[in-house]
Amino acid sequence: MKQANQNTTGAAAATMDAEAIRRALQRIAHEIVERNPRLTDVVLAGIPSRGVEIAQRIAVFIHQIREIDVETGVIDVAMHRDDVGTRSELPIVRETKLPLPLGERTVIVVDDVLYTGRTVRAAMDAINSFGRPARIQLAVLIDRGHRELPIRPDYVGKNLPTSGNEKVRVRLEQTDGQPDEVHLEKL
Amino acid sequence: MTTRWTRKDLLGLRELSADEINFVLETTDAFKQVGTREIKKVPALRGKTLVNFFVEPSTRTRTSFELAALRLSADVINISASASSLAKGETLKDTARNLEALHADILVLRHSSAGAPQFLANRLDASVINAGDGAHEHPTQALLDLYTIRERRNKIAGLRVAIVGDILFSRVARSNIFGLLKLGAHVTLVGPSTLVPREFKKLGVEVSYRIDDVLPNADVVNLLRIQHERQRREYFPGIGEYIRLFGLTKERAKLLKPDCLVMHPGPINRGVEIDSEIADGLQSVILDQVTNGLAVRMAVLYLCGGISG
């Protein structure tokens, strides 16, 4: 394989390798522990499919830090999106799994890449249909900018400046069957 | 789950692949859960208009579609027309024009003529969902039956399913036969020979005229409604005779395996196809079918109505 130039964002340039991803998620876990004194109220709710895997990994790191098993869940956003009917391919709908009732809980939405913010809006909409959590926070592995809604993450693995004609590719072993990696691709 | 849904319309199960049927069933899992939420409504079809066009009377199928559409945030219009006042071909064309004028996105059609949904699907940009056409197909009923079996038994392949009653005129039976066979079930049709023609064997099912031979091996018994209001007297001597030969009476139900599911598309004729004790008994999943019908219809409306026209 050709070695990509360090200064370009060519297709093969890995932005994060497995070790960088591990450290980023570990740091997010520490920040979650600092910000949330009552960890038993926290739910790490991943957006399928990589958000779910990332939420699991953060939960493992939190257990290593505090020996507390933080609850995890899944938020399906497909039926809450605002672009159904404008896409030629429908997103697959999955079951949402959240511990109920949500009343006293802090739901931390977890996703791999934060881009326009529309998925996060849909996720908040989905959560609200199950009840009214005490608070909602947002954790993402990558924030690539270009927000179209007033949404800001609480926990960020890496800020990655991008242009609109680039695509952020996240690969995780459990969801993609490939070694953990983040890289930028030109479209 | 690699299959993707690409169909604008749902006209029958005959043209669906096993993968497509399974995809609808898996999508139904997600929509079934919406009914358990504090807010039982999602915005998936917000801004879309659904027209329930029922040329044949039906309350439960129509309300099930209506509630499914409302839970997906679509707007719903109900149109009914008495079949007798409509001449088939030309009127359907007029129907199509009217619906286009309303800018309907989804048309749910029940019609006494087989093929009416296909006719409109070919002429409209709107999605057409067959809610029963003549003695042809009733795909959402079969999908909800499949979903209910899968939910209770965790599989469909290899199960022995008996469909009992008026097969000849039953669109429910036809759609069930197609769906069950595609998913690998064994199907036996049971009823009076006048209502269960041997021709059906060509589809790959077994035919029996003796219910007592079939019940002991069945994993599922699906009882079809005897439509005595249609006065099909020429097909069997009378209700009493039918009950004696084919009714799932309390006595006869003792032949069933303990875990055999008893199904009925409704509305049930208590004491005719099925005794009350059995309809309300532990083996009965008749009310599950109603609950699942709503979820299946949400999934179908989402899949067909959600793709861009």
Side-chain angles (χ1 to χ4, degrees):
Chain A
M1 210 169 153
K2 246 191 264 176
Q3 199 65 38
N5 188 316
Q6 286 278 311
N7 298 323
T8 68
T9 50
T15 308
M16 291 177 96
D17 59 13
E19 175 58 18
I21 292 171
R22 197 191 65 78
R23 270 186 279 113
L25 297 182
Q26 194 173 32
R27 187 164 43 74
I28 288 175
H30 276 285
E31 288 172 12
I32 289 172
V33 170
E34 279 164 31
R35 292 259 311 261
N36 297 279
R38 287 178 58 86
L39 279 172
T40 46
D41 287 344
V42 168
V43 184
L44 291 166
I47 297 174
S49 49
R50 295 189 195 93
V52 178
E53 168 58 23
I54 292 171
Q56 300 287 355
R57 293 189 187 186
I58 292 173
V60 170
F61 284 126
I62 291 176
H63 183 86
Q64 288 169 5
I65 299 164
R66 276 291 150 84
E67 300 230 319
I68 288 174
D69 287 318
V70 171
E71 281 193 83
T72 57
V74 177
I75 307 175
D76 172 76
V77 296
M79 57 180 104
H80 292 273
R81 294 194 66 97
D82 57 9
D83 57 359
V84 172
T86 63
R87 297 152 69 107
S88 54
E89 211 173 62
L90 279 172
I92 290 172
V93 291
R94 293 182 174 82
E95 217 172 304
T96 293
K97 291 176 192 143
L98 289 172
L100 299 177
L102 290 176
E104 305 297 316
R105 312 301 294 255
T106 296
V107 179
I108 303 181
V109 176
V110 182
D111 204 359
D112 54 352
V113 179
L114 177 61
Y115 187 23
T116 62
R118 288 180 191 271
T119 301
V120 175
R121 185 209 59 77
M124 290 193 284
D125 194 25
I127 291 166
N128 285 331
S129 74
F130 286 88
R132 184 178 179 277
R135 59 191 68 76
I136 299 177
Q137 299 174 350
L138 174 60
V140 296
L141 177 60
I142 304 286
D143 181 354
R144 64 166 294 188
H146 305 281
R147 216 78 74 237
E148 293 170 1
L149 295 170
I151 281 168
R152 193 170 52 91
D154 299 277
Y155 314 99
V156 183
K158 185 181 177 69
N159 285 296
L160 190 59
T162 59
S163 67
N165 62 1
E166 287 169 318
K167 187 158 176 57
V168 179
R169 287 252 177 237
V170 177
R171 292 287 171 259
L172 299 177
E173 201 154 346
Q174 289 81 347
T175 53
D176 305 286
Q178 295 173 31
D180 289 1
E181 190 187 76
V182 178
H183 67 259
L184 270 176
E185 272 175 16
K186 287 260 191 255
L187 288 180
Chain B
M1 198 156 65
T2 50
T3 316
R4 289 287 175 132
W5 186 264
T6 53
R7 290 175 188 272
K8 166 176 92 72
D9 312 296
L10 177 67
L11 304 174
L13 292 200
R14 184 178 223 158
E15 64 255 34
L16 297 192
S17 67
D19 281 349
E20 285 175 306
I21 294 172
N22 280 321
F23 186 71
V24 176
L25 300 183
E26 282 160 33
T27 303
T28 301
D29 284 333
F31 283 105
K32 179 162 185 185
Q33 191 229 19
V34 173
T36 67
R37 297 185 186 182
E38 200 169 297
I39 296 170
K40 299 172 183 57
K41 190 160 176 154
V42 295
L45 294 184
R46 193 168 57 187
K48 302 260 183 188
T49 303
L50 177 139
V51 175
N52 257 332
F53 189 73
F54 278 63
V55 180
E56 267 191 344
S58 154
T59 308
R60 67 179 62 206
T61 304
R62 185 182 59 73
T63 48
S64 181
F65 270 110
E66 184 168 357
L67 189 52
L70 292 174
R71 289 201 171 161
L72 295 170
S73 305
D75 296 307
V76 183
I77 307 167
N78 290 302
I79 304 174
S80 55
S82 81
S84 57
S85 67
L86 297 173
K88 291 174 212 162
E90 200 179 327
T91 307
L92 269 176
K93 271 186 203 160
D94 279 341
T95 306
R97 286 202 198 97
N98 278 288
L99 292 166
E100 264 174 349
L102 287 170
H103 298 294
D105 300 292
I106 304 168
L107 170 66
V108 178
L109 180 68
R110 163 153 307 178
H111 202 281
S112 53
S113 296
Q118 175 82 61
F119 179 90
L120 287 185
N122 294 345
R123 282 159 183 77
L124 291 174
D125 289 334
S127 294
V128 177
I129 313 293
N130 181 4
D133 59 333
H136 178 226
E137 284 227 40
H138 190 352
T140 57
Q141 176 69 46
L143 287 167
L144 76 88
D145 290 342
L146 293 169
Y147 185 83
T148 304
I149 296 170
R150 171 181 170 275
E151 183 178 61
R152 286 301 185 107
R153 302 301 295 264
N154 292 316
K155 62 166 187 176
I156 287 170
L159 293 182
R160 309 197 75 89
V161 181
I163 305 177
V164 183
D166 176 356
I167 309 292
L168 181 59
F169 293 99
S170 174
R171 52 197 173 211
V172 175
R174 269 177 191 69
S175 290
N176 260 289
I177 291 166
F178 296 133
L180 287 164
L181 292 178
K182 279 171 205 263
L183 299 190
H186 303 286
V187 180
T188 305
L189 308 178
V190 189
S193 57
T194 47
L195 291 174
V196 187
R198 289 196 172 275
E199 287 291 295
F200 273 88
K201 284 188 171 179
K202 288 181 187 161
L203 297 174
V205 300
E206 288 168 45
V207 168
S208 171
Y209 304 120
R210 293 165 57 91
I211 191 169
D212 293 351
D213 293 350
V214 176
L215 293 183
N217 296 317
D219 297 302
V220 177
V221 177
N222 198 346
L223 302 161
L224 302 179
R225 203 173 119 72
I226 288 299
Q227 304 181 27
H228 51 76
E229 72 274 15
R230 295 195 182 185
Q231 298 291 326
R232 292 209 178 102
R233 293 194 183 282
E234 62 268 36
Y235 292 99
F236 56 94
I239 294 294
E241 173 100 348
Y242 183 86
I243 295 169
R244 195 171 63 73
L245 291 173
F246 299 104
L248 188 59
T249 57
K250 213 164 62 169
E251 274 307 304
R252 193 167 266 142
K254 290 176 185 161
L255 296 171
L256 294 172
K257 290 197 261 183
D259 60 349
C260 178
L261 304 178
V262 175
M263 308 180 77
H264 192 299
I268 57 176
N269 294 314
R270 287 177 185 267
V272 181
E273 306 99 31
I274 185 168
D275 273 358
S276 273
E277 288 89 340
I278 311 304
D280 304 329
L282 290 173
Q283 289 171 297
S284 166
V285 292
I286 295 172
L287 291 177
D288 296 39
Q289 288 174 271
V290 178
T291 306
N292 291 337
L294 181 58
V296 159
R297 290 180 178 114
M298 286 174 78
V300 167
L301 293 178
Y302 171 80
L303 291 173
C304 291
I307 31 182
S308 63

